[in-house]
Amino acid sequence: IKQNPCPTKSFISLCVLISRCDSSMPPPFVSGAGAAGPRLNNDRLYKFSYTTEVLVDRAKGSKDGSAGYRISSDVDVNLVWRDPSSKDDQLIQLVVNNPTKNIFQGATTQSLLGEKKLAALERPFMVHLKNGKVSSFYCYKAEPASIKNLKRGVASLLQVQCRSGKVIENDVSGRCTVEYKAAQGQVTRTKALETCKTAETGFTTYIQVLGVSGESSSVTVFTLEDGFIKSAIAKETHILAVNARRTTAAKIVSRQSLTLVAIEAGPFEAAGKNVASVVKSLDEKLFAVGVAAEKVKSQCKGCQSLFEHWQAVQKQFEPDSLSKAIAPRSFLALIQSIRKASKDEILQVLKHSSKTALPQVVDAVTSSQTPDSLDAMLQFLNFADPKGMVLQERFLYACGFASHPNERMLQALDISKGKIGSKDIKESVVIILGAIVHKLCQKGGCELPTVVEVKKMILEGPDSTQVESDIQMYLLALKNSLLPEAIPLFSKYAESEVGAYCTISLTALQRYDVALITDEVKQTVNRVYHQNRRVYEKNVRAAAADVIFSSNPSYMEVKNVLLSIGNLPKELNKYMLSKVKDILHFEMPASKILRQAMKDMISHNYDRFSKVGSSSAFSGFMARTADATTTYSLDILYSGSGVLRRSNMNIYGASNGALLHGLQVAIEAQGMESLIAAKPDEGEEDLESFAGMSALLFDVQLRPVTFFKGYSDLMSKMFSMSGEPMNVVKGLILLTDHSQVIQLQSGLKANAEFQGGLAIDISGGMEVSLWYRESKTSVNNRGAMVVTGNVTVDMDFVRTGMEVSFETEASLDFTTTVQFSEYPFLVCMAKTNCSLVNSTLYFHESLTKYESLPSGKSYVSRRGHKQLLPGSEFPLHQENSNMCKRVFDSDW
């Protein structure tokens, strides 16, 4: 991409002061928070030159290639009044003089600022300096906030104490912890920016892997000469980066420079009892307005309305575009527009969207997470109408994926306050309530009234009903909530007589922090696996084994599991052998204790480890970078007759010690033996014919989907099966959502917005052919992702910023084929070539920098590169490869 030359840094103008430390300054490095600061002399005018600049660029960018601008001017400073009883209690006047004209070529200071802002900039203001700290800031109330903030930035350089020590100071940055270090002729002030408390707060994604992390520093060095501050040099740096890809990052650098030029004869002190009376006697229009920065209201001239924006991008929201990067990019842009819109404007877009694009619009409106967007959705959707199930469920899923939900969202979804026409929607509501509770508890909101109410409902839910589907619904809600109080419930239902309850409970226990899994819970899980009290289905025992291995097992627990191999049903034997080998091969946490137990020849011998079968467990790496690691696992369990019992595919992301369960697609089938006149396994003789799929996406469990249930349903669907996959999840998801206001010490303000959007289409199907005596299950994953980071510094009269982004498109498919024309059955898990298949990967990375004036004059620099990476195959175990070769040969 062609790069336009980045313009020379922009210049404006401004000012600042400095003064003298008392000649009785304590020795260097003497601690004390109450140490006196600089003092000004009567009838003296201190003339300073002041410069501040702000630059934005990528994290490792050079100063020369950065976008930004500079503000410079002269400042005259004089003492107005001093408390006779305290030399360190001073009222100081500052006046900005001689704004320079070297801003953009062809632009003057007056044409840039305007007459009113220029007059406000040059108007005198006052600072009450007490013991080296700015106690009060006086200026005209009617002055523009951006001008007042610049003056506050000048005043921030007046704060200096001559002794070493830590103090809490108030300045334009907020209320911050500051450390001073005094040496001969120099004082260094280091501000702990992470401690600064400001009125403007942002929000961020609570999933660390998808989040944004930052580093910041602020150091001001005061040089002293003959008791005066000769210069003050400040540098403030902020770096923000996407955790999963730290090259998608932005850096903000702010500098201030204050230099004493001359000392001349100046005005005498004014008489007065206190600061307030002196200020009023000098200028009645001066008011104390606080030292903290004021919010600057940005004005967008010529910007599109929400409806105009929607009309321009609506084609990108059609279903055919969901596998392309343009869909999530348009999704992120629309969210930004919705966040600035009113409820009526949002409703206008919802009412004028096509039927095919409307579900994607619901994703965008819900993901905006503003009071107006939530009100618009609640008014637009009618939960009492079962015909609106598709839009209702899209709304619920978007709530479940919300980056920063609040109590009001939870209140809106509380089913006790309204009628729901569809049973499926009722289930989704309760399941998603659990996900929102988890996120609110993560940010310390577990004791909010609505959270307490919902927690009570879902915790009491399983024992309050005898309806099987309702019990599953509450268990899935608790699985999403990850409430520690739910662990005893999961332990109880893990030993239930209903296999579905057992499976949900055991998979939920596996998601908890290992520290919460008590010995009592471990005993329960071991009883299930070893069938100490009753016979369980194979998939339940397999789930119990997964919990044992993932919960910091003891030597005896592992040894007992190894001793059970050889005495299990055939396919469960093979599954457990594959699981053990996978743990060892992939160096999972249990691998160390597993190796110790395998030194015992009784538990580890040829007889146990030579069992045959088709079931398997395999894990591998999808991608490994310096910032993140992506892994996959595929576990397949068959019945003794060779029919699929459970297929479980997982994708995990890890970054900087944090783990994200990105995707889980599980297909379960039971009671299929009657089709092929086979004998069911022990404990599964009376199971009803059933096949279904459930998905967990970005740590949120979704409502399971049923392919068929019951023999009659099975037979009717078998003859009507088209082979087309059934949709499980389809839509647009807001993955990364980070908004931050960075108040710089100079008075300038930066806004940082990092967002990541995903367009996803997950589908799965099951096809059975009695004619060809073959069954196929398939899982198809399509997706496109865009992540953008935008940093702007907008001062009304000049704007600069940058955007860094990357986008990618990919797919991942796998098909399991079972041929039961001969025995033992041929089982192949593959799309092609006996492996999971990832198609050609499209990747695009870009960097844009810009500077602009209100007149419309702007400078833009763009850089980027595109790549098409060849498709890759993620291998499975060797036995699967051998089986696939036989299947493909027979097909040929």
Side-chain angles (χ1 to χ4, degrees):
I1 298 177
K2 185 177 180 181
Q3 178 184 1
N4 296 328
C6 193
T8 307
K9 301 298 166 295
S10 317
F11 292 91
I12 308 180
S13 45
L14 195 44
C15 62
V16 93
L17 134 80
I18 220 145
S19 37
R20 175 176 76 174
C21 277
D22 186 16
S23 58
S24 61
M25 185 178 77
F29 300 104
V30 177
S31 62
R39 296 176 183 172
L40 278 72
N41 287 331
N42 186 21
D43 69 6
R44 288 291 181 270
L45 182 67
Y46 300 86
K47 302 185 76 68
F48 295 91
S49 65
Y50 174 75
T51 300
T52 183
E53 69 174 358
V54 61
L55 305 172
V56 293
D57 201 353
R58 55 192 176 89
K60 295 184 179 180
S62 64
K63 181 178 178 181
D64 293 338
S66 301
Y69 53 85
R70 182 179 298 164
I71 300 172
S72 61
S73 75
D74 299 329
V75 180
D76 292 343
V77 182
N78 65 278
L79 179 67
V80 175
W81 173 86
R82 190 195 310 272
D83 187 341
S85 62
S86 175
K87 294 183 179 181
D88 292 316
D89 192 350
Q90 307 164 97
L91 180 65
I92 302 166
Q93 177 175 275
L94 299 90
V95 182
V96 177
N97 291 313
N98 304 318
T100 58
K101 299 180 180 179
N102 53 337
I103 305 162
F104 285 105
Q105 290 184 354
T108 64
T109 304
Q110 184 169 338
S111 66
L112 183 66
L113 295 177
E115 188 175 337
K116 290 184 179 179
K117 288 181 180 177
L118 180 59
L121 179 64
E122 295 179 330
R123 187 177 295 123
F125 61 100
M126 295 186 184
V127 171
H128 181 199
L129 198 64
K130 193 171 184 178
N131 294 324
K133 313 300 177 188
V134 176
S135 176
S136 303
F137 177 83
Y138 296 89
C139 68
Y140 282 26
K141 277 188 176 181
E143 289 180 359
S146 57
I147 298 299
K148 284 189 279 188
N149 287 344
L150 286 175
K151 291 180 177 181
R152 290 183 174 100
V154 174
S156 69
L157 289 180
L158 298 180
Q159 294 206 126
V160 57
Q161 67 181 42
C162 300
R163 294 186 180 185
S164 298
K166 284 187 177 182
V167 294
I168 296 177
E169 291 184 349
N170 295 304
D171 67 3
V172 67
S173 302
R175 185 171 178 81
C176 313
T177 300
V178 177
E179 182 177 11
Y180 286 93
K181 289 186 178 179
Q184 191 63 40
Q186 185 172 289
V187 176
T188 301
R189 180 179 72 191
T190 303
K191 187 181 298 182
L193 295 173
E194 68 278 4
T195 67
C196 293
K197 297 180 180 179
T198 61
E200 291 189 76
T201 57
F203 50 81
T204 191
T205 304
Y206 288 91
I207 301 176
Q208 188 177 341
V209 175
L210 301 175
V212 174
S213 58
E215 300 175 5
S216 58
S217 64
S218 175
V219 178
T220 305
V221 178
F222 299 89
T223 302
L224 312 176
E225 186 175 273
D226 297 330
F228 285 91
I229 296 177
K230 183 179 179 182
S231 66
I233 307 297
K235 182 179 180 181
E236 184 175 347
T237 303
H238 297 264
I239 299 176
L240 297 171
V242 176
N243 291 334
R245 186 177 175 81
R246 300 195 66 82
T247 54
T248 305
K251 179 173 67 175
I252 305 164
V253 178
S254 174
R255 293 184 176 90
Q256 291 173 279
S257 175
L258 179 69
T259 305
L260 179 64
V261 177
I263 303 176
E264 300 177 355
F268 289 97
E269 291 182 36
K273 295 181 180 180
N274 52 48
V275 171
S277 62
V278 172
V279 172
K280 188 173 183 181
S281 66
L282 294 175
D283 191 340
E284 291 185 349
K285 294 182 179 180
L286 288 174
F287 287 89
V289 293
V291 297
E294 293 181 30
K295 186 174 182 179
V296 179
K297 295 181 180 180
S298 58
Q299 298 179 351
C300 188
K301 297 179 180 179
C303 289
Q304 289 181 317
S305 67
L306 174 60
F307 191 70
E308 290 171 337
H309 183 170
W310 164 242
Q311 287 180 315
V313 301
Q314 57 183 324
K315 290 183 179 178
Q316 316 306 334
F317 284 77
E318 295 294 336
D320 291 344
S321 299
L322 286 184
S323 60
K324 301 175 183 176
I326 189 63
R329 183 172 287 279
S330 301
F331 169 67
L332 297 179
L334 187 62
I335 286 175
Q336 292 291 350
S337 293
I338 294 171
R339 284 178 171 169
K340 301 171 187 175
S342 67
K343 171 185 169 182
D344 290 338
E345 290 176 303
I346 297 169
L347 282 170
Q348 183 185 18
V349 171
L350 288 167
K351 292 175 181 177
H352 287 83
S353 299
S354 66
K355 289 185 179 180
T356 52
L358 186 55
Q360 287 70 253
V361 179
V362 170
D363 293 337
V365 173
T366 311
S367 298
S368 300
Q369 300 171 70
T370 66
D372 284 303
S373 65
L374 182 58
D375 288 342
M377 286 307 311
L378 294 175
Q379 182 174 325
F380 182 74
L381 296 175
N382 178 12
F383 280 89
D385 182 8
K387 295 180 181 178
M389 178 179 168
V390 173
L391 297 181
Q392 293 164 18
E393 194 150 53
R394 291 289 279 267
F395 165 71
L396 293 172
Y397 285 171
C399 289
F401 297 130
S403 57
H404 52 282
N406 53 29
E407 187 181 14
R408 189 167 179 274
M409 179 180 284
L410 199 64
Q411 290 171 341
L413 298 184
D414 192 343
I415 61 170
S416 64
K417 295 183 173 64
K419 181 181 178 183
I420 297 178
S422 166
K423 180 171 176 55
D424 287 344
I425 292 301
K426 178 184 175 181
E427 291 179 2
S428 289
V429 167
V430 176
I431 292 168
I432 295 304
L433 282 174
I436 298 175
V437 163
H438 174 59
K439 292 184 178 182
L440 290 174
C441 287
Q442 272 188 309
K443 62 176 184 178
C446 237
E447 299 307 317
L448 292 170
T450 309
V451 176
V452 172
E453 181 183 340
V454 174
K455 282 167 56 179
K456 185 175 183 293
M457 179 191 72
I458 60 177
L459 283 168
E460 295 177 354
D463 293 336
S464 67
T465 179
Q466 299 297 320
V467 180
E468 184 175 324
S469 60
D470 287 351
I471 295 174
Q472 291 186 48
M473 170 185 73
Y474 287 117
L475 290 175
L476 289 170
L478 290 169
K479 180 179 178 180
N480 269 337
S481 73
L482 286 180
L483 292 170
E485 306 96 299
I487 292 178
L489 265 175
F490 288 133
S491 184
K492 169 187 172 182
Y493 279 91
E495 294 188 279
S496 169
E497 294 181 359
V498 181
Y501 302 167
C502 302
T503 304
I504 294 171
S505 299
L506 290 166
T507 55
L509 289 172
Q510 197 174 357
R511 297 185 66 199
Y512 279 94
D513 189 316
V514 176
L516 296 174
I517 305 300
T518 63
D519 290 340
E520 184 180 354
V521 175
K522 288 184 178 182
Q523 290 171 8
T524 300
V525 176
N526 277 276
R527 283 199 301 268
V528 173
Y529 175 76
H530 294 289
Q531 301 189 128
N532 296 135
R533 292 182 176 176
R534 58 176 299 270
V535 175
Y536 292 93
E537 300 167 29
K538 290 191 305 299
N539 59 323
V540 172
R541 298 183 71 184
D546 292 340
V547 178
I548 293 171
F549 283 129
S550 63
S551 302
N552 192 22
S554 66
Y555 174 85
M556 286 308 299
E557 283 181 295
V558 173
K559 184 175 181 179
N560 285 336
V561 170
L562 291 175
L563 288 172
S564 71
I565 298 175
N567 301 312
L568 303 171
K570 176 185 174 183
E571 287 298 333
L572 187 56
N573 264 329
K574 186 62 176 65
Y575 175 84
M576 290 305 300
L577 285 175
S578 291
K579 177 61 70 173
V580 168
K581 292 176 182 178
D582 190 43
I583 291 172
L584 295 172
H585 168 261
F586 209 62
E587 293 292 335
M588 295 180 188
S591 59
K592 185 176 180 180
I593 193 73
L594 191 55
R595 284 192 173 91
Q596 292 179 13
M598 289 175 66
K599 291 179 181 179
D600 180 3
M601 296 303 293
I602 297 177
S603 56
H604 177 212
N605 55 51
Y606 179 78
D607 181 56
R608 296 187 191 281
F609 277 70
S610 61
K611 304 301 181 184
V612 296
S614 302
S615 300
S616 65
F618 190 85
S619 302
F621 288 101
M622 296 187 76
R624 279 185 281 187
T625 67
D627 304 319
T629 300
T630 305
T631 60
Y632 71 94
S633 67
L634 181 59
D635 296 353
I636 305 287
L637 177 65
Y638 294 96
S639 67
S641 58
V643 179
L644 176 70
R645 192 69 176 83
R646 186 187 75 169
S647 167
N648 194 355
M649 185 185 76
N650 293 277
I651 296 178
Y652 292 91
S655 176
N656 197 27
L659 183 67
L660 169 66
H661 198 167
L663 175 66
Q664 181 185 75
V665 179
I667 296 179
E668 289 202 17
Q670 66 182 37
M672 304 283 285
E673 286 78 10
S674 59
L675 289 175
I676 54 176
K679 182 181 178 182
D681 291 334
E682 181 187 16
E684 301 182 359
E685 297 87 353
D686 300 322
L687 293 180
E688 183 182 30
S689 297
F690 168 84
M693 172 186 274
S694 69
L696 183 147
L697 192 59
F698 302 110
D699 281 334
V700 177
Q701 173 70 56
L702 307 180
R703 181 180 62 83
V705 175
T706 299
F707 296 149
F708 58 81
K709 187 172 185 179
Y711 187 78
S712 59
D713 190 24
L714 165 62
M715 296 308 296
S716 64
K717 289 184 177 177
M718 182 176 295
F719 290 108
S720 62
M721 279 181 177
S722 62
E724 293 297 320
M726 179 182 292
N727 178 255
V728 180
V729 181
K730 189 170 189 176
L732 294 159
I733 301 172
L734 184 62
L735 297 180
T736 302
D737 195 15
H738 179 92
S739 179
Q740 183 177 353
V741 176
I742 301 173
Q743 181 58 58
L744 303 173
Q745 181 180 279
S746 63
L748 301 175
K749 188 177 294 185
N751 290 283
E753 300 276 350
F754 280 77
Q755 288 187 306
L758 175 71
I760 191 167
D761 185 353
I762 301 176
S763 58
M766 187 170 187
E767 183 179 1
V768 180
S769 172
L770 295 179
W771 182 263
Y772 292 104
R773 299 185 68 80
E774 180 180 86
S775 70
K776 288 185 179 181
T777 57
S778 62
V779 176
N780 306 312
N781 303 278
R782 302 281 183 275
M785 182 171 67
V786 173
V787 177
T788 65
N790 203 319
V791 175
T792 58
V793 183
D794 192 345
M795 284 297 294
D796 294 340
F797 47 85
V798 62
R799 187 170 187 261
T800 189
M802 64 163 290
E803 180 184 277
V804 59
S805 69
F806 74 87
E807 59 187 48
T808 184
E809 298 171 2
S811 65
L812 179 67
D813 304 327
F814 78 90
T815 299
T816 303
T817 303
V818 179
Q819 291 186 350
F820 44 88
S821 56
E822 59 180 276
Y823 194 86
F825 299 152
L826 298 178
V827 181
C828 169
M829 296 173 290
K831 183 67 176 178
T832 58
N833 299 331
C834 315
S835 60
L836 296 178
V837 177
N838 180 22
S839 64
T840 300
L841 182 70
Y842 163 79
F843 184 83
H844 179 213
E845 195 167 22
S846 65
L847 172 67
T848 303
K849 305 173 191 176
Y850 52 88
E851 299 169 356
S852 62
L853 298 177
S855 62
K857 188 174 183 180
S858 63
Y859 301 89
V860 180
S861 170
R862 292 188 178 92
R863 295 175 60 187
H865 71 274
K866 296 180 180 180
Q867 281 182 292
L868 281 177
L869 304 176
S872 54
E873 297 177 357
F874 307 117
L876 300 174
H877 53 91
Q878 184 59 44
E879 292 164 348
N880 180 68
S881 299
N882 298 336
M883 192 76 74
C884 287
K885 290 176 183 177
R886 294 180 60 188
V887 169
F888 292 148
D889 289 343
S890 63
D891 285 346
W892 178 258

